[in-house]
């Protein structure tokens, strides 16, 4: 009886784990437990980072916060470059227009307008993408800084900016946070191109900077240059939308061109309303001597197609009914000028829509498109 109780079946003896399995388990078990406070701080500092990636950074750097941030940024850069290379041939027809206007100084103020494209409307409504658009527009003001000479072949005060130059410029923080009175997170030094690449990695779509223009302040300008900017269709975002516009006026005192001009509330309101008028109007670009307008507003809409791109008189815009009332645009401008003792002249304006002039490429076979999408993930 006693022997039978002591007899143990070999089947009931637990088998030892294979040494290879133990080694594999030990190698995948983190030696360092991520610090919870640092984890939250990393996710607050670097927008869009996943919880798992933040944990990995802390484990690999032994909970060294600064080294963890550096590790994440290097990892994002590598992932972004790889992702961007895969997606570079995909068409980006959606996106947003970004508009930022600078503070009014002694000689006036400047403004910048950019178009950043992505593949889908869904991504264009992402806050990360909107922030990138406003950052690039804000940065564009630095590319052409202060009084300058217009580029050869360009008319007016709104000048095109070379995309290659803008891509290599150090990107500025998102102005949206400052406008809202919030304290922006610590800003890392990266170029516009590097910032675009990081967002590509996070959002998984091809993103490209298509165009940029900036208002320049001419040397020996009489009076003041006042720039107004506006966007529309960006879910109430202050600097980004599906449409954007810049308007430029010169203000000269009737007491003499050398007298200092300070724009009043009525003048700044006029500038703001004129820019919104452009948003609600067909695409228009006017200059001091000429005006480029589309078919639907030239000669009552009856101009032949070959004359659509012709340079016409700037009075086309000035004779439009002002959407805010008070008569035509020129009548409203003249009224404000008389009341303020100024000579006000609308010297330039530009209005962009995202994707305008872009043609969608012919789509490939559906099965081929699905295969390509899977390969690029």
């Amino acid at each position: 009886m006693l022997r039978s109780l002591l007899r143990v079946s070999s089947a009931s003896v637990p088998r030892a784990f294979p040494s290879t399995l133990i080694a594999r388990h030990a190698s995948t078990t983190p030696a360092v437990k991520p610090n919870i406070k640092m984890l939250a701080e990393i996710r607050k500092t670097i927008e869009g980072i996943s919880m798992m990636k933040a944990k990995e950074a802390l484990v690999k750097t032994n909970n060294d916060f600064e080294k963890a941030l550096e590790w994440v940024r290097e990892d994002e850069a590598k992932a972004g470059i790889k992702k961007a290379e895969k997606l570079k041939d995909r068409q980006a027809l959606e996106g947003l227009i970004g508009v930022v206007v600078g503070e009014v100084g002694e000689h006036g103020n400047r403004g910048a307008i950019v178009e950043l494209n992505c593949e889908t409307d869904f991504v264009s409504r992402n806050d990360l993408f909107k922030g990138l658009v406003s950052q690039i527009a804000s940065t564009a003001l630095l590319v052409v800084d202060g009084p300058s000479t217009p580029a050869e072949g360009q008319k007016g005060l709104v000048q095109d900016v070379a995309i290659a130059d803008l891509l290599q410029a150090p990107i500025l923080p998102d102005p949206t946070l400052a406008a809202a009175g919030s304290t922006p997170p610590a800003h890392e030094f990266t170029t516009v191109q590097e910032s675009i690449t990081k967002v590509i990695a996070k959002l998984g779509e091809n993103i490209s900077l298509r165009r940029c223009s900036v208002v320049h302040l001419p040397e020996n300008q009489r009076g003041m240059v006042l720039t107004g900017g506006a966007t529309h269709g960006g879910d109430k975002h202050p600097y980004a939308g599906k449409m954007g516009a810049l308007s430029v006026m010169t203000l000269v005192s009737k007491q003499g061109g050398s007298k200092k001009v300070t724009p009043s509330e009525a003048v700044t309101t006029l500038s703001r309303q004129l820019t919104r008028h452009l948003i609600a109007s067909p695409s228009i670009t006017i200059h001091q001597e000429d005006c480029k307008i589309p078919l639907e507003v030239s000669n009552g809409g009856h101009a032949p197609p070959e004359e659509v791109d012709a340079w016409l008189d700037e009075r086309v815009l000035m004779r439009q009914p002002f959407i805010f009332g008070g008569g035509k645009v020129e009548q409203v401008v003249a009224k404000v000028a008389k009341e303020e003792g100024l000579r006000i002249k609308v010297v330039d304006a530009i209005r962009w829509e995202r994707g305008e002039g872009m043609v969608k490429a012919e789509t490939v076979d559906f099965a081929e498109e699905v295969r390509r999408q899977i390969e690029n993930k």
Side-chain angles (χ1 to χ4, degrees):
M1 180 69 178
L2 182 59
R3 289 180 181 179
S4 63
L5 290 174
L6 294 175
R7 190 181 298 120
V8 180
S9 171
S10 60
S12 64
V13 178
R15 296 181 179 180
F17 287 104
S19 58
T20 55
L21 181 60
I22 295 175
R24 190 182 306 122
H25 177 72
S27 64
T28 56
T29 302
V32 179
K33 186 176 181 181
N35 183 289
I36 300 301
K37 290 184 178 180
M38 288 187 182
L39 191 65
E41 193 64 26
I42 287 177
R43 300 194 72 200
K44 180 181 178 181
T45 304
I46 301 180
E47 186 177 6
I49 183 176
S50 67
M51 180 72 76
M52 292 303 297
K53 187 62 69 176
K55 284 182 177 180
E56 184 180 359
L58 288 171
V59 169
K60 286 185 176 293
T61 59
N62 197 26
N63 281 325
D64 187 311
F65 182 73
E66 294 299 329
K67 289 183 178 179
L69 290 180
E70 184 179 351
W71 184 92
V72 170
R73 287 163 180 157
E74 290 179 355
D75 184 73
E76 282 186 338
K78 293 177 183 177
I81 292 172
K82 186 177 179 180
K83 192 76 172 179
E85 183 64 25
K86 284 185 176 181
L87 303 179
K88 67 179 183 180
D89 294 328
R90 282 163 48 170
Q91 253 192 321
L93 302 177
E94 296 292 334
L96 293 172
I97 305 297
V99 175
V100 171
V101 174
E103 295 291 332
V104 178
E106 182 181 356
H107 301 289
N109 67 328
R110 302 165 55 245
I113 183 169
V114 301
E115 179 178 1
L116 188 69
N117 297 117
C118 57
E119 297 179 47
T120 65
D121 182 65
F122 177 77
V123 164
S124 73
R125 289 185 277 110
N126 184 283
D127 288 339
L128 195 60
F129 185 83
K130 291 178 183 177
L132 179 61
V133 173
S134 57
Q135 279 186 273
I136 296 175
S138 182
T139 304
L141 285 176
L142 294 181
V143 176
V144 182
D145 191 15
S148 59
T149 303
E152 185 177 353
Q154 295 193 42
K155 300 179 180 180
L157 302 187
V158 180
Q159 300 287 304
D160 295 337
V161 173
I163 296 300
D165 293 342
L166 181 55
L167 288 174
Q168 297 307 312
I171 197 164
L172 292 182
D174 186 355
T176 308
L177 298 175
S182 304
T183 303
H187 182 66
E188 59 177 307
F189 181 85
T190 59
T191 65
V192 171
Q193 180 63 76
E194 290 169 341
S195 298
I196 291 175
T197 301
K198 288 181 180 181
V199 175
I200 288 175
K202 292 178 179 179
L203 300 183
E205 285 195 6
N206 185 24
I207 297 174
S208 61
L209 181 59
R210 183 187 180 196
R211 51 181 171 168
C212 171
S213 290
V214 173
V215 176
H216 84 96
L217 300 181
E219 296 178 356
N220 302 320
Q221 171 67 38
R222 296 175 68 245
M224 171 178 284
V225 174
L226 184 63
T227 302
T231 59
H232 178 71
D235 298 327
K236 297 183 180 180
H237 192 280
Y239 303 109
K242 295 179 180 180
M243 295 174 281
L246 289 173
S247 67
V248 187
M249 301 189 302
T250 55
L251 315 176
V252 180
S253 173
K254 289 184 178 180
Q255 299 179 19
S258 61
K259 183 175 178 59
K260 184 178 179 180
V261 175
T262 302
S264 65
E265 180 63 30
V267 174
T268 54
T269 298
L270 173 64
S271 174
R272 184 169 57 251
Q273 290 181 339
L274 179 63
T275 312
R276 292 176 179 173
H277 173 89
L278 288 166
I279 290 284
S281 304
S283 297
I284 253 183
T285 303
I286 70 166
H287 299 298
Q288 290 179 341
E289 299 176 353
D290 39 30
C291 171
K292 184 176 182 179
I293 62 174
L295 176 63
E296 57 265 30
V297 295
S298 56
N299 292 337
H302 300 294
E306 61 270 18
E307 293 184 10
V308 171
D309 292 329
W311 290 95
L312 304 176
D313 194 287
E314 72 172 25
R315 288 173 296 178
V316 174
L317 171 65
M318 302 304 288
R319 290 178 179 176
Q320 286 184 334
F322 199 43
I323 63 172
F324 293 95
K328 298 179 180 179
V329 174
E330 61 183 357
Q331 294 172 325
V332 177
V333 171
K335 180 176 182 294
V336 174
K338 181 179 180 180
E339 293 173 349
E340 300 299 320
L342 297 171
R343 294 186 180 90
I344 300 178
K345 184 175 179 63
V346 181
V347 295
D348 213 342
I350 189 170
R351 176 189 185 274
W352 287 355
E353 287 189 40
R354 60 98 185 262
E356 60 185 350
M358 302 176 74
V359 180
K360 186 175 182 179
E362 294 183 6
T363 56
V364 297
D365 177 78
F366 178 73
E368 174 67 16
E369 179 66 19
V370 172
R371 183 189 66 78
R372 188 177 299 175
Q373 294 275 358
I374 293 174
E375 287 182 352
N376 287 334
K377 286 186 178 180

